[in-house]
Amino acid sequence: MKPFVFRALVGKRIHERWRGGYRIARFLAREMDSVPIQIEGHPPLYVDLRGLDEHALSLYRGAPLRQVPHEPALTELFHRIVQPSDTVFDVGANLGLHTLTFSKLARQVIAFEPNPALAPNLRKTVAKLHNASLLEICLSERDAAVDFYISEWDHMLGSMANWTGQPSKTMSVPAHSIDSLIAEGMVPKPQVLKVDVEGAEMLVFRGAEELFSGTDAPRFVVFEELNTASAKLGIADAAPAEFLREKGYTVYLIEQNGLSPLPKVRPTAANLVAARGQHLELTGPFNVA
């Protein structure tokens, strides 16, 4: 009965309009800490609904889903660039939506997610993927403990930068560089990197200096620019893109209808892809519904 009432309440966003609606919804969801979301062609994705985080609720409302609903342009790009023999790093895996996609496309997927609020369900999601593993660590420029900020309003917003303006709690989490993990034999060298770490992308890249300088550097790096967050870490706008350009990559802006040459002026929040060498398969429009 309670799940039925909860679905009725949040399904049509009634809880947002009724006085006391959020309080009632939270009461009904107090045991819904690990709810499976069915996505066609994939094992279930597990989410925590107790905080009424909008991203998790949108997945719950839409389930069962015909396809991975998160960032469709990126999903199509992944289908174009990931090869069956690849190892893919999903850095900043969050709920694991892109991890699901990578698992279908690649030989091996390693997900990185330091946010302890997401870890229990991400473990369950990854455990059902035959070729995926999870490292509950932060990737940065060196091996050390770092401060990690988690929004109290949306637990999916976790970052090394306290940039959201929302009430946050601070935790110390272990951080490692990609170069040290490879040197210690903890992970293999990846052919594709996806890096979405809320403004700390440049720190991840600095920690992979040796990887990017080698002849077997990743073919593709898909990453986010979030200048508002990066500035909190003392990172200049466009620094990650410039770093990769200096390493021999061509960088493109990812848009809903395809890729375009990287403009000098672009949105403060943008998704980019860096390609090493000439990759003509990147051309052509995306087929995004």
Side-chain angles (χ1 to χ4, degrees):
M1 184 63 179
K2 288 181 180 178
F4 175 81
V5 175
F6 178 79
R7 180 173 288 277
L9 195 64
V10 303
K12 296 184 179 180
R13 301 178 183 271
I14 297 173
H15 69 294
E16 297 176 1
R17 303 192 297 270
W18 279 7
R19 184 177 180 179
Y22 276 97
R23 186 172 65 254
I24 295 171
R26 285 195 175 91
F27 173 78
L28 294 172
R30 67 192 187 281
E31 296 178 359
M32 302 178 74
D33 59 318
S34 188
V35 177
I37 304 297
Q38 299 298 327
I39 304 174
E40 186 175 326
H42 298 277
L45 177 91
Y46 291 88
V47 298
D48 186 345
L49 298 179
R50 293 174 300 174
L52 304 184
D53 297 329
E54 181 52 35
H55 192 186
L57 285 179
S58 68
L59 294 169
Y60 177 73
R61 293 186 191 106
L65 296 157
R66 292 181 54 197
Q67 59 190 9
V68 174
H70 184 50
E71 298 181 309
L74 286 187
T75 298
E76 177 158 345
L77 177 63
F78 296 149
H79 277 83
R80 296 190 184 195
I81 66 177
V82 176
Q83 298 178 3
S85 59
D86 284 344
T87 292
V88 178
F89 284 6
D90 187 359
V91 184
N94 204 268
L95 294 179
L97 283 162
H98 289 319
T99 306
L100 292 180
T101 297
F102 291 139
S103 178
K104 285 284 188 179
L105 302 174
R107 179 181 64 85
Q108 181 181 19
V109 185
I110 302 176
F112 298 84
E113 180 52 62
N115 188 340
L118 302 178
N121 281 320
L122 186 55
R123 284 186 215 120
K124 293 179 70 172
T125 297
V126 170
K128 294 184 180 296
L129 303 175
H130 72 283
N131 59 347
S133 58
L134 171 64
L135 292 180
E136 296 175 34
I137 60 174
C138 183
L139 289 186
S140 188
E141 57 190 330
R142 63 179 63 90
D143 294 2
V146 298
D147 287 338
F148 193 79
Y149 302 90
I150 303 172
S151 168
E152 294 182 4
W153 294 354
D154 185 346
H155 291 164
M156 294 176 211
L157 290 177
S159 175
M160 292 172 65
N162 190 12
W163 67 275
T164 65
Q166 301 176 4
S168 300
K169 58 182 178 181
T170 308
M171 305 187 70
S172 179
V173 301
H176 295 270
S177 72
I178 289 178
D179 284 341
S180 70
L181 291 175
I182 292 173
E184 293 169 9
M186 297 291 293
V187 297
K189 291 184 178 180
Q191 287 72 55
V192 177
L193 280 173
K194 185 235 84 181
V195 185
D196 183 350
V197 288
E198 303 295 315
E201 287 75 13
M202 188 63 212
L203 303 184
V204 176
F205 295 166
R206 287 176 187 161
E209 176 76 31
E210 292 183 22
L211 174 65
F212 285 124
S213 300
T215 57
D216 52 356
R219 298 191 321 276
F220 296 99
V221 184
V222 180
F223 63 103
E224 183 186 40
E225 278 187 343
L226 187 58
N227 294 336
T228 304
S230 295
K232 294 289 187 179
L233 293 167
I235 298 170
D237 293 356
E242 291 307 310
F243 175 91
L244 293 174
R245 278 175 161 171
E246 291 174 3
K247 296 299 182 183
Y249 288 83
T250 302
V251 185
Y252 302 86
L253 178 66
I254 303 172
E255 301 180 285
Q256 283 300 101
N257 59 348
L259 304 179
S260 63
L262 191 63
K264 290 184 178 179
V265 179
R266 50 190 180 269
T268 57
N271 287 319
L272 310 178
V273 57
R276 192 175 178 92
Q278 298 298 315
H279 295 278
L280 298 179
E281 68 267 22
L282 289 177
T283 61
F286 289 158
N287 180 25
V288 177

